[in-house]
Amino acid sequence: MFLLGAVMGNILVIGGDGFCGWPTALHLSNLGHEVTIVDNLSRRAIADELGAQSLTPIASIEDRIAAWQRVSGHQLGFVNLDVAQDYDGLAAVLNLLKPDTVIHFGEQRAAPYSMKGPRQKRYTVDNNLNGTHNLLVAIAELKLDIHVVHLGTMGVYGYDGDGLEIPEGYLDVKVETPDGRLLPRSILYPTNPGSVYHMTKSLDQLLFQFYAKNDQIRITDLHQGIVWGTQTDETRLDDALINRFDYDGDYGTVLNRFLIEAAIGYPLTVHGTGGQTRAFINIQDTVRCIALAVANPPERGERVRVRNQMTETHRVRDLAALVAKITGARVDRVQNPRLEAAENELFVSNRSFIALGLEPITLSNGLLAETIEISQRFADRVDRSKIPAASLWRQDMPEAASHTIKKAS
Amino acid sequence: MFLLGAVMGNILVIGGDGFCGWPTALHLSNLGHEVTIVDNLSRRAIADELGAQSLTPIASIEDRIAAWQRVSGHQLGFVNLDVAQDYDGLAAVLNLLKPDTVIHFGEQRAAPYSMKGPRQKRYTVDNNLNGTHNLLVAIAELKLDIHVVHLGTMGVYGYDGDGLEIPEGYLDVKVETPDGRLLPRSILYPTNPGSVYHMTKSLDQLLFQFYAKNDQIRITDLHQGIVWGTQTDETRLDDALINRFDYDGDYGTVLNRFLIEAAIGYPLTVHGTGGQTRAFINIQDTVRCIALAVANPPERGERVRVRNQMTETHRVRDLAALVAKITGARVDRVQNPRLEAAENELFVSNRSFIALGLEPITLSNGLLAETIEISQRFADRVDRSKIPAASLWRQDMPEAASHTIKKAS
Ligand SMILES: NC(=O)c1ccc[n+]([C@@H]2O[C@H](COP(=O)([O-])OP(=O)(O)OC[C@H]3O[C@@H](n4cnc5c(N)ncnc54)[C@H](O)[C@@H]3O)[C@@H](O)[C@H]2O)c1
Ligand SMILES: NC(=O)c1ccc[n+]([C@@H]2O[C@H](COP(=O)([O-])OP(=O)(O)OC[C@H]3O[C@@H](n4cnc5c(N)ncnc54)[C@H](O)[C@@H]3O)[C@@H](O)[C@H]2O)c1
């Protein structure tokens, strides 16, 4: 299971205790890379704050690392460090390890949490921006030639693409001159984020643009779709390696929440008409894509390489129908707590990963296994009170969405 | 001296102790507005940190306010508060005063300072982003209908406009469809900032875009050119009202530095070929523009109103020639400590302020008076050691620029 021709390197995984970061760390370790995780365990702290734990019983980071050593013989490094707050610590780690690649997952990633209230809005901006900025400043300061691989989101594009295919990061446009000529320009796709969380990824993009230009840092920004699925080849190797599965109203993504609603016999709560179209990718494909991105860095001096890390698009109501078909659940429409277009189309280019050899796992093939492996198996661990999506996008919105589940219980 | 037809309001001026903020506060107070200044006096602290004081002897904020009351009979409020760090304090002030307008000058504004080292890069991003974000979050949270007037910079556009006129914030482009049609789109002008400082203004733009859309906050973003001149009609009324004049390598803008070099008999230090073209505006026009912007807010739900606040463009070497002509100084070329295009053209639309009645003060008319009123008058206060521009844009650049003055002295 080695990447053909790849040189094994020294990799730092910021946010490596999280949902995407943990299986990525294992996958890269399995491929033969030296992997060190940096994480401040803030995701676990937020789970405690929300009283909403992973459906799957996740082990402590120490137990996870010990289990991985047991089953694979590979050692993972771990540093408990807040990259947004502890610049000196981060710079010391970089200077000590001099990694070839830093994969940066270490941000607050839930849109509903980022809209919950002033504290969460401010935390999300402060944490995500300063973390990314500290990393770039430290690399520039230490004059290290590190490839930064960052997890962005499809959400930076917004969902109003005029029915045109969304390109990988850059849009070719034409600007008209006074004498009627059309000048071509390639620009960062004009961003239109729909939440404070998504906005931070738009902000990150500008940090990357600047540091790629000014300090010639090599950067890959992966605009990822919504990740579904829980386990990967590596996390399945031991119970203590199990990946997290969030289903609460803040961190649970749409598919996870449908699966849990189905598993406990609730109707699937579709926001509004369910006409929102979103991009998806399986967690196993996520870790593969990241390995491919690591193996294919941009050149020094090149502009930021953006890749769309998604494999298929679905309308929310079609997802609900799919889950309903597999599980026999009912579908219910509830008031949308988000400000977003009721219906949108979405066409996305993912040519760059396909060209590198990615063979996508499709939802229609993988969903049944996921249901049995995770949501049905752990259904007795569900805390029903955590399912409602209670974060409103604006102060003056009705709270209907959050009542549905309570009423039914 | 009242604005015809304007309704006098309750205005908060964040950064009202600074170079642009102070004369603006006086001008608006003179026009009959109730003005409260919020400032953490960080600019004075940075002057101490750099050991580089304003050429003009500026009074303490308390003495400034007392002097203004003496000469005008108007009371100015003052709150010493860090808008980036003290969200609760900011929210309390907003809730107490419920201002009609908040003018936001409260950011770290020197490009060289923002490039000085890791601490300054990080401070600039943290201070500018969190300050702006706190303001927007508080307004949304308190459900206040406040018009936010923010000072941005021409620098967000970058200086590679293909020779086309830079529009006011939004660029009309065409996107080609697969079947060859050209779809028109109006997008935020693709940003290309040249320093960490300028980058923070590009980041601010995305915060504004989001909060204008999600919370319907009314926002005007003024993309200002380099401000020249020192005094305004109001700051001239008393010695204790005098405005600051920075000439050090970090905070001194190009024209101020030429004037000081001339006043003390040094050659004018032109970076590189001096082919950089920049936009300028006189401080008296700045305060007028802001009064006009305050009187002409966008509607609720409208996109961010961007106005270019500049009145003329000049090449740096032409500026040097102009100062040399007035003062008899020599011109010297030094190594450029910045990473920027050696030569660029710049055409900028400023139709929106001209349409509102602005009658620009031109450099060719005002420069001689400025020279006599400020740089020659206070020449004995110059600290020569502070003139060199010592902040390098990248770690590996030669430090030639910073040696020139030392050699000559
Ligand atoms: N999960 C998805 O569907 C999805 C989709 C698109 C993009 N992404 C992006 O992928 C990345 C990882 O997402 P995830 O689902 O694994 O989220 P997660 O919350 O499970 O993991 C993020 C990890 O980063 C850590 N972290 C956060 N701030 C930190 C800081 N300041 N210092 C150190 N560690 C910090 C957290 O403790 C956590 O372990 C995020 O950037 C997210 O925006 C995720
Ligand atoms: N001076 C120029 O040529 C120029 C050109 C374009 C844009 N601008 C913009 O205009 C604004 C004002 O510029 P200036 O030249 O007056 O700068 P300045 O440094 O003289 O004034 C800024 C003021 O804001 C205050 N401040 C900074 N951070 C603060 C915080 N967190 N909380 C409270 N107060 C804070 C400082 O103490 C200072 O008094 C800035 O945003 C700047 O970017 C200035």
Side-chain angles (χ1 to χ4, degrees):
Chain A
M1 202 174 143
F2 273 76
L3 254 173
L4 263 180
V7 180
M8 293 308 118
N10 185 342
I11 302 185
L12 204 71
V13 181
I14 301 175
D17 185 47
F19 166 60
C20 298
W22 174 243
T24 299
L26 298 189
H27 186 64
L28 295 171
S29 172
N30 203 24
L31 290 173
H33 296 282
E34 288 283 336
V35 176
T36 304
I37 289 173
V38 167
D39 203 299
N40 67 345
L41 308 183
S42 55
R43 180 65 191 90
R44 293 176 188 253
I46 292 176
D48 293 341
E49 168 197 328
L50 298 172
Q53 301 301 331
S54 166
L55 180 76
T56 48
I58 57 172
S60 71
I61 183 72
E62 291 79 8
D63 290 350
R64 285 178 150 189
I65 289 172
W68 180 243
Q69 167 128 41
R70 210 163 53 234
V71 302
S72 76
H74 293 302
Q75 185 95 44
L76 288 173
F78 173 65
V79 187
N80 187 330
L81 186 128
D82 187 329
V83 296
Q85 299 293 327
D86 186 0
Y87 172 80
D88 293 338
L90 175 63
V93 170
L94 291 172
N95 200 29
L96 188 73
L97 298 180
K98 299 199 169 44
D100 306 293
T101 310
V102 173
I103 310 177
H104 178 23
F105 295 98
E107 301 190 89
Q108 193 298 101
R109 69 110 177 117
Y113 186 80
S114 79
M115 300 301 289
K116 221 175 178 57
R119 183 171 60 78
Q120 293 87 348
K121 290 179 188 182
R122 295 171 50 238
Y123 167 72
T124 302
V125 166
D126 189 53
N127 185 61
N128 294 6
L129 252 281
N130 281 320
T132 301
H133 192 235
N134 280 346
L135 174 63
L136 296 169
V137 170
I139 292 173
E141 178 65 13
L142 297 165
K143 292 182 224 157
L144 296 171
D145 183 15
I146 293 176
H147 176 207
V148 174
V149 178
H150 172 258
L151 275 286
T153 164
M154 287 294 308
V156 302
Y157 296 119
Y159 296 105
D160 49 7
D162 285 342
L164 298 183
E165 185 186 69
I166 292 178
E168 304 205 59
Y170 299 93
L171 183 67
D172 290 326
V173 299
K174 297 196 164 65
V175 183
E176 195 166 350
T177 65
D179 58 348
R181 282 170 307 127
L182 290 172
L183 294 181
R185 286 195 197 171
S186 174
I187 62 171
L188 259 183
Y189 195 96
T191 186
N192 186 13
S195 74
V196 166
Y197 155 67
H198 291 102
M199 182 182 75
T200 65
K201 301 287 184 174
S202 303
L203 300 173
D204 281 340
Q205 282 203 96
L206 298 187
L207 300 181
F208 294 139
Q209 173 187 268
F210 178 74
Y211 282 90
K213 179 178 72 168
N214 194 76
D215 297 281
Q216 309 200 305
I217 300 181
R218 293 179 296 131
I219 300 169
T220 297
D221 201 5
L222 301 171
H223 287 192
Q224 191 172 238
I226 299 171
V227 183
W228 67 277
T230 308
Q231 298 280 61
T232 62
D233 292 347
E234 291 85 9
T235 63
R236 281 196 190 91
L237 293 175
D238 190 291
D239 271 354
L241 299 177
I242 199 167
N243 200 12
R244 63 180 307 127
F245 178 105
D246 296 306
Y247 63 92
D248 62 286
D250 286 307
Y251 279 86
T253 51
V254 54
L255 197 64
N256 281 11
R257 301 184 63 247
F258 286 165
L259 290 176
I260 286 308
E261 289 170 333
I264 63 168
Y266 269 91
L268 313 183
T269 49
V270 169
H271 290 169
T273 64
Q276 311 89 334
T277 309
R278 294 293 180 268
F280 293 86
I281 183 169
N282 182 267
I283 184 73
Q284 180 72 59
D285 285 342
T286 286
V287 304
R288 284 192 190 125
C289 282
I290 289 168
L292 290 169
V294 167
N296 295 277
E299 300 286 324
R300 225 176 139 79
E302 219 178 274
R303 70 181 182 180
V304 177
R305 172 123 359 137
V306 181
R307 301 183 194 272
N308 291 339
Q309 186 160 307
M310 54 70 68
T311 58
E312 53 192 318
T313 62
H314 293 280
R315 257 182 222 280
V316 169
R317 61 172 167 257
D318 297 338
L319 280 184
L322 191 63
V323 174
K325 203 178 100 188
I326 293 177
T327 63
R330 266 202 313 119
V331 176
D332 228 6
R333 290 188 176 182
V334 301
Q335 178 86 31
N336 192 352
R338 304 186 181 210
L339 292 174
E340 61 189 1
E343 305 268 330
N344 73 288
E345 297 205 272
L346 186 62
F347 306 103
V348 185
S349 167
N350 66 351
R351 287 190 196 92
S352 109
F353 276 122
I354 299 297
L356 293 177
L358 180 69
E359 290 170 15
I361 297 168
T362 63
L363 246 166
S364 55
N365 285 333
L367 200 55
L368 183 61
E370 170 72 9
T371 309
I372 296 164
E373 186 180 15
I374 302 296
S375 54
Q376 292 180 352
R377 173 165 169 216
F378 295 107
D380 60 327
R381 285 175 47 94
V382 172
D383 177 348
R384 293 160 188 241
S385 71
K386 298 305 173 190
I387 300 177
S391 294
L392 302 178
W393 254 235
R394 211 166 55 210
Q395 290 302 310
D396 51 7
M397 293 173 76
E399 292 191 38
S402 55
H403 296 147
T404 311
I405 306 268
K406 287 182 203 142
K407 221 172 40 203
S409 63
Chain B
M1 201 171 144
F2 273 75
L3 255 172
L4 262 180
V7 180
M8 293 310 117
N10 185 343
I11 302 184
L12 204 72
V13 181
I14 300 174
D17 185 48
F19 167 60
C20 298
W22 174 243
T24 299
L26 297 188
H27 186 62
L28 294 171
S29 171
N30 204 23
L31 289 174
H33 296 283
E34 287 286 334
V35 176
T36 303
I37 289 173
V38 166
D39 203 299
N40 67 345
L41 309 183
S42 55
R43 178 67 192 88
R44 294 178 188 250
I46 292 177
D48 292 342
E49 167 198 327
L50 297 172
Q53 300 301 330
S54 165
L55 179 77
T56 48
I58 56 172
S60 70
I61 184 70
E62 291 79 7
D63 289 350
R64 283 178 151 189
I65 288 173
W68 179 244
Q69 166 128 41
R70 209 162 54 233
V71 302
S72 76
H74 293 301
Q75 185 94 44
L76 287 173
F78 173 65
V79 186
N80 187 331
L81 185 130
D82 188 327
V83 295
Q85 301 292 328
D86 186 0
Y87 172 80
D88 293 338
L90 176 62
V93 170
L94 291 172
N95 200 28
L96 188 72
L97 297 180
K98 299 199 168 46
D100 306 292
T101 309
V102 173
I103 309 176
H104 178 24
F105 296 97
E107 301 190 88
Q108 193 299 100
R109 70 109 176 117
Y113 185 79
S114 80
M115 300 302 288
K116 220 176 178 59
R119 182 172 59 79
Q120 293 86 349
K121 289 178 188 182
R122 295 171 49 238
Y123 166 71
T124 302
V125 166
D126 188 52
N127 185 62
N128 294 6
L129 252 282
N130 281 321
T132 301
H133 192 233
N134 281 346
L135 175 63
L136 297 170
V137 171
I139 291 172
E141 178 64 14
L142 297 166
K143 293 182 225 157
L144 296 170
D145 183 16
I146 293 177
H147 176 208
V148 174
V149 178
H150 172 258
L151 275 287
T153 164
M154 286 294 306
V156 301
Y157 297 118
Y159 295 106
D160 49 6
D162 285 341
L164 298 184
E165 184 185 71
I166 292 179
E168 304 204 59
Y170 300 92
L171 183 66
D172 290 325
V173 299
K174 297 199 164 64
V175 183
E176 197 167 345
T177 64
D179 58 347
R181 282 171 307 128
L182 291 172
L183 294 181
R185 286 195 198 171
S186 174
I187 61 171
L188 258 183
Y189 196 95
T191 185
N192 185 13
S195 74
V196 167
Y197 156 66
H198 291 102
M199 183 181 75
T200 64
K201 302 286 186 175
S202 303
L203 300 173
D204 281 339
Q205 282 203 99
L206 298 187
L207 300 182
F208 294 139
Q209 174 187 267
F210 178 75
Y211 282 90
K213 179 179 70 168
N214 194 76
D215 297 282
Q216 309 202 303
I217 299 180
R218 293 179 296 131
I219 301 169
T220 298
D221 201 6
L222 301 171
H223 287 190
Q224 192 172 237
I226 299 171
V227 183
W228 66 277
T230 308
Q231 297 279 63
T232 62
D233 291 347
E234 290 84 10
T235 62
R236 281 193 190 92
L237 293 176
D238 190 291
D239 270 353
L241 299 177
I242 199 167
N243 199 12
R244 62 181 308 126
F245 178 105
D246 296 305
Y247 63 93
D248 61 287
D250 286 306
Y251 280 85
T253 51
V254 54
L255 197 64
N256 280 11
R257 302 184 63 247
F258 286 165
L259 290 176
I260 287 306
E261 289 170 334
I264 63 169
Y266 269 92
L268 314 183
T269 50
V270 169
H271 290 169
T273 64
Q276 312 89 332
T277 310
R278 293 293 180 267
F280 293 85
I281 184 170
N282 182 266
I283 184 72
Q284 180 73 59
D285 285 341
T286 287
V287 303
R288 282 190 191 127
C289 282
I290 288 168
L292 290 170
V294 167
N296 294 278
E299 299 287 326
R300 223 174 141 80
E302 221 178 273
R303 70 182 184 181
V304 177
R305 172 125 356 140
V306 181
R307 301 182 193 272
N308 290 339
Q309 185 160 307
M310 53 70 68
T311 58
E312 54 192 317
T313 63
H314 293 279
R315 258 181 221 280
V316 169
R317 63 173 167 257
D318 297 339
L319 279 186
L322 191 63
V323 173
K325 205 178 99 186
I326 293 178
T327 63
R330 265 200 318 116
V331 176
D332 228 5
R333 289 189 178 181
V334 301
Q335 178 85 33
N336 192 351
R338 304 188 182 208
L339 292 174
E340 60 188 2
E343 304 268 330
N344 73 287
E345 298 205 273
L346 185 61
F347 306 103
V348 185
S349 167
N350 66 351
R351 286 189 198 94
S352 107
F353 277 123
I354 299 297
L356 293 177
L358 180 70
E359 290 171 16
I361 297 167
T362 62
L363 246 167
S364 56
N365 285 334
L367 200 54
L368 183 61
E370 171 73 9
T371 310
I372 296 164
E373 186 179 16
I374 302 295
S375 55
Q376 292 181 353
R377 173 166 168 216
F378 295 107
D380 60 328
R381 285 175 47 96
V382 172
D383 177 348
R384 293 162 187 239
S385 71
K386 299 305 174 190
I387 300 178
S391 294
L392 301 179
W393 253 237
R394 211 166 56 210
Q395 291 302 310
D396 51 6
M397 294 173 75
E399 293 191 39
S402 55
H403 296 148
T404 310
I405 305 270
K406 289 180 203 143
K407 219 170 44 200
S409 64

